[in-house]
Amino acid sequence: MKPSRPASPLLPHVSVSETASLKRDEEFWFEDGNLILVAGDVEFRVYQGPLIAHSPVFNDMLSLPQPAEDSGRRTRHGESSCPIIPLTDSPEDLRHFLRVFVSSSSGKIIRSGQHDPTFHEVSACVRLGHKYQVDGLVQRYVDLLRKYYADNFDAWYRSTLVRPPSFQAVHSIAVVNLARLTNTPSMLPTALMDCCTLGPEIVDGLVREDGTRETLPLDDLGRCFVGRAKMAQASARIAHLMFRPPVSAACRQPACCQRVLQRLLNELGNARDDVISCVDWYASWMVYVDGRDEDRELCMRCYKMLEGERPKKLQREVWMSLPAMMGVTVEGWGIKAKQES
Ligand SMILES: [Zn+2]
């Protein structure tokens, strides 16, 4: 740990009564800490060094002598070397943020190598990392999000998950907001697309740990309204192209397989609407195929074609226009996708 800077002698004092209603955080209260952060009604006593080293904002707050009338930075009686900084963050958010810099005072090791972060951890660390200009922290979590909210078709197609394992669909609302906050437009098409799969909660938004509600801005809500219809259209388009000729180039019984493909195409009319025009245009068709070719007349080559190469080709075409479907512009989206193929 880097040595902390001495507190400014100009710090004004605050009476104990002003802070009497505050409670000490159970996770972050180091008796020898040299900085008290106040978030909501919780005090965190930590070390200045790591915050100063990683955050230009904390560096500025703690290194510049403050005018005596500035109540934003104070020390308490008997703790003259310990500035108190009130923050506007919630205690829950601040706890996630502090865990990046220090293990808890209760001795529990918080960070040990790879872990699968919760939505709340990711959200808090990106928002507070951005606010306090801890660029490396923001980048770490944005990189993690970009693995799922990808701009690379092949990576996205390979992944069996459309969002991090600990995330729920409603959390994609926050991912849209984080993409905007961090100026990462490449995450917007897939994050908005995930929002389009939501029901009424697309309006209600999600509840953060501190009880506040996070929603989509109205213009993004409008994008989802349009995007959802476009996703259903993409599904319908894929449905009508999936079973067209030709059969697989490697098919050894083309007449038979052609007949089955034709049947699969004809029976689309009898399929449920949510099969043909489901919002998730990337869903597999194999339940539909298996249900209509129970005796497995399709040869293995044609079956594999319907399972893999044909939907992949059709989905790639949809993917290319995904930013337009979602009403956003992403520099290099199409070019990148072309280079991959
Ligand atoms: Zn075949």
Side-chain angles (χ1 to χ4, degrees):
M1 185 172 300
K2 295 188 180 174
S4 58
R5 296 170 188 219
S8 161
L10 296 176
L11 294 174
H13 283 71
V14 61
S15 71
V16 174
S17 62
E18 279 183 59
T19 56
S21 61
L22 297 175
K23 53 186 184 237
R24 293 179 174 186
D25 188 61
E26 289 180 8
E27 195 174 327
F28 292 104
W29 187 269
F30 296 93
E31 287 301 338
D32 64 339
N34 53 6
L35 169 66
I36 293 177
L37 300 173
V38 182
D41 61 349
V42 184
E43 289 181 302
F44 299 77
R45 186 163 180 169
V46 293
Y47 305 105
Q48 298 182 18
L51 292 169
I52 287 172
H54 292 99
S55 163
V57 176
F58 274 105
N59 181 44
D60 289 351
M61 278 197 281
L62 291 163
S63 62
L64 296 173
Q66 302 290 307
E69 62 271 19
D70 182 351
S71 60
R73 193 175 164 225
R74 304 173 289 202
T75 54
R76 193 180 300 174
H77 286 305
E79 294 172 347
S80 58
S81 66
C82 195
I84 300 175
I85 299 184
L87 302 173
T88 55
D89 310 300
S90 74
E92 291 82 4
D93 280 352
L94 186 61
R95 221 169 270 126
H96 285 297
F97 181 73
L98 290 175
R99 283 178 190 142
V100 175
F101 300 100
V102 234
S103 52
S104 79
S105 50
S106 61
K108 199 169 65 176
I109 302 290
I110 300 296
R111 287 279 177 277
S112 52
Q114 292 285 329
H115 74 297
D116 178 24
T118 64
F119 160 73
H120 294 297
E121 176 190 330
V122 174
S123 167
C125 287
V126 173
R127 285 182 287 109
L128 270 63
H130 182 266
K131 178 178 175 184
Y132 297 118
Q133 296 173 13
V134 187
D135 296 343
L137 177 65
V138 174
Q139 197 58 50
R140 185 203 304 174
Y141 283 98
V142 166
D143 287 347
L144 182 140
L145 289 173
R146 289 183 62 180
K147 283 186 195 164
Y148 299 92
Y149 302 92
D151 60 354
N152 172 314
F153 174 78
D154 289 305
W156 176 82
Y157 186 86
R158 266 195 308 275
S159 173
T160 50
L161 298 171
V162 295
R163 65 187 84 90
S166 60
F167 281 35
Q168 299 161 15
V170 74
H171 294 149
S172 291
I173 287 176
V175 176
V176 170
N177 294 333
L178 294 177
R180 298 226 182 267
L181 177 73
T182 59
N183 191 26
T184 318
S186 67
M187 295 200 294
L188 285 173
T190 44
L192 285 166
M193 186 170 77
D194 206 23
C195 292
C196 289
T197 65
L198 293 170
E201 64 268 36
I202 194 170
V203 175
D204 300 336
L206 61 117
V207 180
R208 287 192 190 149
E209 279 176 316
D210 60 5
T212 57
R213 199 168 276 280
E214 178 171 0
T215 55
L216 279 177
L218 284 180
D219 50 357
D220 280 328
L221 198 57
R223 286 186 177 92
C224 291
F225 187 78
V226 177
R228 190 178 159 89
K230 292 196 180 295
M231 287 169 72
Q233 286 164 10
S235 262
R237 181 171 182 275
I238 288 176
H240 288 97
L241 294 173
M242 265 293 284
F243 307 113
R244 287 203 179 166
V247 295
S248 164
C251 178
R252 298 216 180 96
Q253 47 162 52
C256 172
C257 287
Q258 180 54 55
R259 207 167 49 242
V260 179
L261 284 186
Q262 188 62 51
R263 186 166 77 232
L264 291 168
L265 185 62
N266 293 347
E267 290 191 6
L268 280 175
N270 301 325
R272 299 193 321 270
D273 286 347
D274 60 358
V275 173
I276 299 164
S277 54
C278 62
V279 175
D280 40 350
W281 51 271
Y282 39 83
S284 166
W285 277 93
M286 298 326 285
V287 171
Y288 175 81
V289 172
D290 290 339
R292 280 154 188 82
D293 183 27
E294 285 176 329
D295 300 333
R296 182 58 84 76
E297 291 179 73
L298 271 181
C299 77
M300 184 50 77
R301 306 277 167 78
C302 288
Y303 189 84
K304 289 275 178 212
M305 174 184 80
L306 295 183
E307 197 175 37
E309 67 199 71
R310 185 165 288 185
K312 186 177 182 183
K313 178 178 174 291
L314 295 169
Q315 288 176 22
R316 189 191 292 278
E317 287 168 16
V318 175
W319 176 269
M320 293 285 281
S321 56
L322 194 59
M325 286 165 65
M326 295 299 134
V328 293
T329 307
V330 181
E331 195 96 12
W333 180 277
I335 297 162
K336 232 179 225 170
K338 270 179 200 152
Q339 283 169 347
E340 286 158 18
S341 57

